[in-house]
Amino acid sequence: MKSKSLALVLAALGASIAHADLVMVNETSIGGAKSTTTLSIRGDKVRTDNGTQASVIMDTKTGEMTTLMHDQKMVVKMSAADLKAAAATLGDKSAAGGLEPKITATGTKEKVQGYECEIYTMEALGMTTKLWVAKDYPGYEKLKKELSVLERLASPGAKQPPVPGIALKTEFEQQGMKFPTSLVSLKEQPVDESIFAVPSGYKAPGG
């Protein structure tokens, strides 16, 4: 469930693929506590690190998701077909259509971090996420091709209806709790290809 929720949040934060490597830091509030997630983006691949306990690697071209649990040195891999089946069991009707998210403009605006944002909703994987999207965030026009990889996290391999900017804030609700996430920083910097490989010594459950 955590990986599913994380994928939804990440899918909301981009606006099509390219050449620069990016590092993005987001902060999520969970029951009053704050947690920081670092995203390292290189081409079609995205790695998210939640503190030192777990990392999730997504290949948005193939749809494969790899979860690394560092304390146990455990690795869990799921294919696009596995993710689609998991969404179907959760009652997401869009799963039969390839997990394609539905993005809708609400027609309302609100300022976030001093930027005028248009508010959108995204329905995917059985949940609805609210997005505050800024068109004029510094560097967005230069980096939007790289950032588009994040949209495909909600629906690997599918064509995405892009939002016209970058989401400075996202929010989804689960079991009566709201989970707001804010963009802390976005930098263009080299990302080593080796971080997308499974570290030596990590084994599958029961392996």
Side-chain angles (χ1 to χ4, degrees):
M1 179 63 70
K2 183 176 180 181
S3 295
K4 170 190 168 182
S5 302
L6 179 60
L8 281 171
V9 171
L10 301 184
L13 294 175
S16 275
I17 264 183
H19 312 289
D21 297 344
L22 303 178
V23 175
M24 175 185 287
V25 178
N26 301 305
E27 186 175 77
T28 301
S29 295
I30 305 175
K34 294 183 177 180
S35 65
T36 299
T37 299
T38 300
L39 290 76
S40 303
I41 306 168
R42 182 181 174 89
D44 293 313
K45 297 178 182 178
V46 179
R47 171 171 167 150
T48 65
D49 290 287
N50 304 288
T52 59
Q53 295 183 336
S55 302
V56 177
I57 300 168
M58 286 289 301
D59 187 322
T60 63
K61 189 174 183 179
T62 66
E64 183 176 77
M65 180 174 74
T66 302
T67 301
L68 304 175
M69 288 164 276
H70 301 301
D71 289 345
Q72 302 95 326
K73 287 194 173 182
M74 186 181 298
V75 55
V76 178
K77 291 188 177 184
M78 295 184 72
S79 67
D82 294 331
L83 293 171
K84 182 177 178 180
T89 62
L90 293 170
D92 182 13
K93 296 179 180 179
S94 70
L99 301 176
E100 188 105 7
K102 178 183 178 182
I103 297 179
T104 305
T106 66
T108 56
K109 295 182 179 182
E110 189 176 315
K111 278 199 172 182
V112 176
Q113 299 180 23
Y115 297 94
E116 188 77 16
C117 293
E118 296 183 20
I119 300 177
Y120 291 76
T121 60
M122 180 179 69
E123 298 174 56
L125 298 176
M127 292 196 292
T128 299
T129 303
K130 193 174 181 180
L131 326 174
W132 284 258
V133 178
K135 295 180 180 179
D136 59 345
Y137 188 79
Y140 166 71
E141 283 299 324
K142 177 183 177 183
L143 301 176
K144 64 181 179 180
K145 288 186 177 181
E146 287 83 354
L147 289 167
S148 70
V149 70
L150 298 179
E151 292 179 354
R152 297 199 304 280
L153 286 172
S155 182
K159 290 184 178 180
Q160 297 302 307
V163 293
I166 183 169
L168 300 187
K169 177 182 174 182
T170 70
E171 182 181 86
F172 70 91
E173 189 169 341
Q174 188 175 28
Q175 297 178 341
M177 294 182 64
K178 291 184 177 181
F179 297 85
T181 294
S182 299
L183 176 65
V184 176
S185 65
L186 173 63
K187 297 178 181 179
E188 182 178 352
Q189 64 184 67
V191 173
D192 196 318
E193 180 70 26
S194 65
I195 71 168
F196 302 105
V198 176
S200 176
Y202 281 60
K203 298 181 178 180

